[in-house]
Amino acid sequence: MLEFVLDRAPDLAYRSFQHVSLVVQCVLLATVIAVAVALLVTTVPRLKPVANFVSSVGLTVPSLALLGLMLPVVGIGTLPSVAVVTFYAALPILRNAVVGLEGVSGNLLESARGMGMNPLLTFLRVQLPLAWPVILAGLRVSTQMSMGVAAIAAYALGPGLGGWIFTGLAQIGGQNAVNYALTATIAIVVLALLLDLLLRVLGRFTISRGISA
Amino acid sequence: MTTTEPTPTTDAGPESVSGAEIVFDQVTKSYSAQGKPAVDSLSLTIPAGQIVMFVGPSGCGKTTSLKMINRLIDPTSGTITIGGKDVRSQDPDDLRRQVGYVIQGGSLFPHMTVAQNIALVPGLLRWDKKRITDRVEELLDLVGLDPVRYRDRFPRELSGGQQQRVGVARGLAADPPVILMDEPFGAVDPITRQRLQDELMSIQSELKKTIVCVTHDIDEAIKLGDRILILQEHAQIAQYDTPEAILSAPANEFVEDFVGSGSALKSLSLTRVEEVELTEWTTATVGEPVGPVLERARAARQKSVVVLDQRRRPVDWVNIRALTGETVPAPVDEARDLHQIDHRATLNDALDTMLVSAYAGVIVTGRRDQYVGVATFEAVTALITARNEAARQAQEDADEQ
C-alpha cells in the first residue's frame, strides 16, 4: 500500500488540496449564508419554526439523493459539489447561529441601542462577538461533516478525494480497489482532524477572553 | 500611565451646572388605539443640574416616560425638549450618543474589557485614541476604581457593585449633559447599593448633570432626589416636589400610601452624615512604622487605628493590638467590607452600617473616597436628639401662637 501511495503521491496531494479547498470555501460561504439567515430568523421570530424545520429535515435527506436531484439543474462537475456541500454545511451553522444570537440578552441589545449604536454596529460589535463561540462550534461540526459530504459529491465528477473512493468501489475485486478506497478515506479523516485543530486555534484567537469558558 | 493625582473632571468651579433642562409637553404614548394610553398627557420640567427620581408602582409608565427622552420609545403625541431642542428633530442615534444611559446591573458587554466598555460612546463619536484613553482613566478614577488594576479586566472578573460603577462610568463617558438611569442599583445587595448611591451623589456634586432616574424604591428616591416625581397609573402626576415637601405634605392619599408610614424614620434619610460632628480618629498609612502610630493612638486614648492607603482612602480599621509588625500592613483580605460611608450618605445608612461595625462607629469618606473622619454612634444620636428637640420646640412655638 505504501508503494501504491508513493506512486501516486502528486495526485494524492493534488486531490487532498482540492478536497480541503472545496470544503473550506463551501463552509465559508455556508457561514455567511447561515449567519445572515439566523439574523433574519431572530429578528422576525415567526420565521424561527421554518428555519428549525429546514435545518433538522435537511440533515435527514441523503446527500447522494440530493446530489441526484441537483444533476438535472446544475449538471456535473464542481458546481453540484459546491451546492451540496454548502447546503449541508449551512445546516449546523444555522442551528447554532440561531441559538447563539438568541442567547444575547435583550438588556444588552437595549443598552447598545441606548448608547446610539445602529443595527449594523450592534450586530458587528455586540451580537456577532457574543454569539461567536456557539457559531464556531457549529462551524467545527459543519467542517467535519462537509469533509465526508464532499467525498460523496465526487460522484457527480466533482473534485477531491471522493473520486478515488468511487474508483475503488467501481473496481471491487480489482488489484488496487482497496488501496484507492482506503487511502482516500484515511486521507479525509486525517485532513478533517487537521482542519478541526486549525478551527480550535482560530477559536483561541477570536473568542473574547471575557466570554470564553 | 499616570498614577498621580487625577485631573479634575471640569475646569469650571463646583457650582457650575453642566446639565441641560428637560421639558415634557403634553406627552402621550399609546400602544393601541383602544385602551388607555401608557403615558397620558404628561407635562413636566426637569431643571438643569438636578437629580429627578421617577417613582411609582409597576406599570405606571415611569420607564416608558424615561425611554421617551432618548427616543428608545417615541411618543404618540406631544414634545420633549432637551436644552430647548426637540428630541424628535435629531437623528435617534446621534441623540443617544449625547445622552448617558445606565441600566440595571450596568449591562456591560461581557466580551469587552472595562476600558472598551467605557470607550464605546467616545469611539462612536470618533474621539481620538489619546483622548479616549485619558477619559477612561479619569472616569475609572471618578467612580473609585483604580485604572491600572481594572482597565483591562472583563466584566465577569468584577463584583456586582464594581460592574455597576463601570456602568455609571460608561454612561458618563462622552460627558453628556443628561443621564438617564433605569433602576440602576436594583441588582446589587443593600450595602453595596447604599455605597453606590453615595458615590453617585458625590459624583453629581462635582459634575452637576441633569439625571433622571427611575426607581421603585421610595427610600432611594428620597435619598438621591433633588426632586421626586410620583406617578400613578397612565403616568398621571400624583406629586412632583422636593423630598422634604413630599414627606411633610403628601399631596393625596396615594402619595401618603406610597411613601408609607414612619415618615419620622424616613426623615433620617434626609439628614446627611456630613451634618454629624465627626470624631478625629488616629490614622496610619500603609507602610508607615508602627511605633509612632501606637503613640498617637495612646495619646488620643483610642484602641483602634484607621489605615489609609497612599491616596488617603481608608482600607482597614484595626485594633492596635493587631499592629505587631514593623510597619503598618496592607489589609490581607482587600475585598472585605470596611464599614465606611460617604459624607453624603444619610443618617439612616450610617445607623445601618454601625449595627454591623465592630467599633460603634463608621468611617466617613469625602471626595474620591478620601478619609474625612469617624461618625460615632453618640454623635449620630446626639444630632437626632437635637433635631427632635428643635422640632418639638417649633411645634410648641406654633401652638402658643
Side-chain angles (χ1 to χ4, degrees):
Chain A
M1 184 166 162
L2 185 65
E3 197 183 328
F4 171 88
V5 171
L6 287 178
D7 279 351
R8 292 163 182 78
D11 191 23
L12 179 65
Y14 179 62
R15 282 175 182 275
S16 298
F17 167 75
Q18 274 193 322
H19 200 97
V20 170
S21 162
L22 173 72
V23 167
V24 169
Q25 292 183 50
C26 290
V27 168
L28 278 180
L29 182 62
T31 308
V32 173
I33 296 171
V35 172
V37 173
L39 191 63
L40 183 73
V41 166
T42 45
T43 19
V44 188
R46 266 179 310 165
L47 293 177
K48 199 189 155 199
V50 182
N52 278 342
F53 178 77
V54 172
S55 59
S56 47
V57 170
L59 283 172
T60 65
V61 177
S63 44
L64 204 55
L66 186 68
L67 192 67
L69 288 174
M70 289 250 185
L71 287 181
V73 188
V74 293
I76 56 170
T78 311
L79 199 56
S81 296
V82 171
V84 169
V85 174
T86 307
F87 174 76
Y88 285 103
L91 301 178
I93 304 177
L94 173 60
R95 180 156 276 217
N96 277 35
V98 169
V99 172
L101 289 174
E102 276 183 336
V104 179
S105 98
N107 253 345
L108 292 183
L109 295 181
E110 194 189 278
S111 205
R113 209 156 79 89
M115 291 164 76
M117 285 197 209
N118 59 33
L120 179 68
L121 274 175
T122 307
F123 173 70
L124 291 178
R125 300 193 53 185
V126 180
Q127 289 171 290
L128 191 59
L130 285 175
W132 183 241
V134 187
I135 296 177
L136 190 66
L139 222 142
R140 281 174 62 188
V141 172
S142 169
T143 307
Q144 302 298 289
M145 210 180 69
S146 299
M147 289 298 282
V149 174
I152 290 170
Y155 190 68
L157 300 184
L161 290 160
W164 276 20
I165 298 178
F166 287 112
T167 307
L169 289 178
Q171 36 178 269
I172 281 181
Q175 197 191 353
N176 277 328
V178 176
N179 280 341
Y180 269 119
L182 202 60
T183 311
T185 309
I186 292 172
I188 287 173
V189 171
V190 171
L191 290 171
L193 291 175
L194 281 175
L195 271 184
D196 196 49
L197 191 72
L198 276 178
L199 285 174
R200 282 175 66 168
V201 174
L202 180 74
R204 204 49 79 67
F205 288 107
T206 53
I207 296 175
S208 157
R209 222 165 26 84
I211 50 171
S212 57
Chain B
M1 285 293 118
T2 60
T3 48
T4 51
E5 268 303 293
T7 48
T9 311
T10 48
D11 292 330
E15 293 306 314
S16 73
V17 169
S18 69
E21 185 181 69
I22 305 171
V23 179
F24 282 69
D25 184 25
Q26 303 274 317
V27 175
T28 298
K29 173 68 192 178
S30 339
Y31 285 100
S32 61
Q34 315 83 12
K36 287 211 81 181
V39 174
D40 193 2
S41 193
L42 178 67
S43 295
L44 174 77
T45 300
I46 294 165
Q50 293 207 348
I51 302 186
V52 172
M53 307 295 290
F54 285 13
V55 286
S58 42
C60 70
K62 54 189 192 290
T63 299
T64 306
S65 304
L66 181 88
K67 287 181 180 172
M68 285 194 285
I69 299 175
N70 67 351
R71 294 190 60 189
L72 284 174
I73 297 173
D74 269 326
T76 315
S77 66
T79 54
I80 298 174
T81 59
I82 297 177
K85 224 168 132 192
D86 187 343
V87 294
R88 282 209 273 189
S89 66
Q90 299 168 62
D91 173 74
D93 286 328
D94 286 343
L95 171 76
R96 291 178 198 138
R97 289 171 196 179
Q98 292 158 38
V99 175
Y101 189 52
V102 180
I103 61 181
Q104 188 169 50
S107 268
L108 302 179
F109 297 120
H111 59 295
M112 299 182 190
T113 62
V114 165
Q116 286 168 335
N117 265 291
I118 298 174
L120 256 174
V121 177
L124 293 175
L125 292 170
R126 308 206 173 281
W127 288 17
D128 66 66
K129 271 215 169 104
K130 172 85 177 82
R131 187 171 167 212
I132 293 179
T133 318
D134 291 349
R135 182 67 180 156
V136 168
E137 300 252 320
E138 182 184 332
L139 283 165
L140 280 176
D141 215 277
L142 183 72
V143 297
L145 294 173
D146 178 9
V148 178
R149 262 179 67 195
Y150 290 100
R151 199 170 34 204
D152 296 323
R153 290 204 188 175
F154 284 96
R156 69 170 175 192
E157 297 165 316
L158 305 177
S159 70
Q162 290 169 335
Q163 289 185 19
Q164 190 60 67
R165 287 192 179 96
V166 177
V168 170
R170 188 173 69 173
L172 289 167
D175 205 18
V178 172
I179 296 165
L180 309 179
M181 299 186 159
D182 193 354
E183 301 259 2
F185 309 132
V188 292
D189 64 273
I191 299 223
T192 310
R193 184 181 314 147
Q194 178 214 307
R195 292 217 54 196
L196 290 170
Q197 290 167 344
D198 297 346
E199 283 169 18
L200 179 66
M201 282 191 294
S202 66
I203 289 170
Q204 169 68 354
S205 66
E206 240 177 273
L207 303 183
K208 303 274 182 209
K209 302 285 183 191
T210 305
I211 298 179
V212 183
C213 179
V214 164
T215 178
H216 61 262
D217 177 359
I218 184 70
D219 292 310
E220 180 167 87
I222 292 171
K223 178 175 174 184
L224 292 178
D226 292 311
R227 291 173 144 259
I228 300 175
L229 174 72
I230 300 181
L231 292 174
Q232 270 167 285
E233 248 89 280
H234 316 298
Q236 294 295 307
I237 298 179
Q239 191 166 7
Y240 179 42
D241 215 327
T242 61
E244 291 81 1
I246 284 175
L247 284 178
S248 59
N252 54 33
E253 220 167 276
F254 177 83
V255 174
E256 221 166 286
D257 281 352
F258 195 78
V259 172
S261 55
S263 56
L265 263 180
K266 283 205 164 43
S267 63
L268 285 178
S269 296
L270 288 171
T271 312
R272 310 289 177 193
V273 172
E274 58 193 350
E275 295 169 48
V276 175
E277 199 176 320
L278 298 182
T279 310
E280 287 284 323
W281 212 267
T282 311
T283 61
T285 310
V286 171
E288 190 184 353
V290 160
V293 174
L294 291 180
E295 270 170 41
R296 285 204 301 272
R298 283 194 197 101
R301 296 174 177 279
Q302 283 163 341
K303 288 197 172 65
S304 60
V305 173
V306 175
V307 182
L308 310 178
D309 68 6
Q310 306 301 331
R311 294 161 86 170
R312 290 196 58 75
R313 292 180 299 205
V315 289
D316 206 353
W317 194 355
V318 293
N319 196 300
I320 48 174
R321 272 175 305 184
L323 292 175
T324 48
E326 289 270 311
T327 58
V328 178
V332 190
D333 177 10
E334 52 178 62
R336 196 173 60 99
D337 198 50
L338 192 59
H339 301 114
Q340 66 177 60
I341 51 176
D342 190 84
H343 67 297
R344 306 257 306 167
T346 65
L347 287 193
N348 210 352
D349 298 332
L351 288 171
D352 259 1
T353 311
M354 269 175 209
L355 286 178
V356 288
S357 161
Y359 302 101
V362 283
I363 300 172
V364 180
T365 55
R367 278 194 59 204
R368 296 184 192 244
D369 279 348
Q370 287 178 358
Y371 169 81
V372 180
V374 167
T376 60
F377 183 70
E378 290 79 19
V380 173
T381 45
L383 181 67
I384 297 172
T385 317
R387 282 284 157 98
N388 287 345
E389 196 59 44
R392 194 175 313 128
Q393 202 64 48
Q395 191 66 43
E396 277 170 20
D397 289 352
D399 287 346
E400 275 170 27
Q401 282 169 12

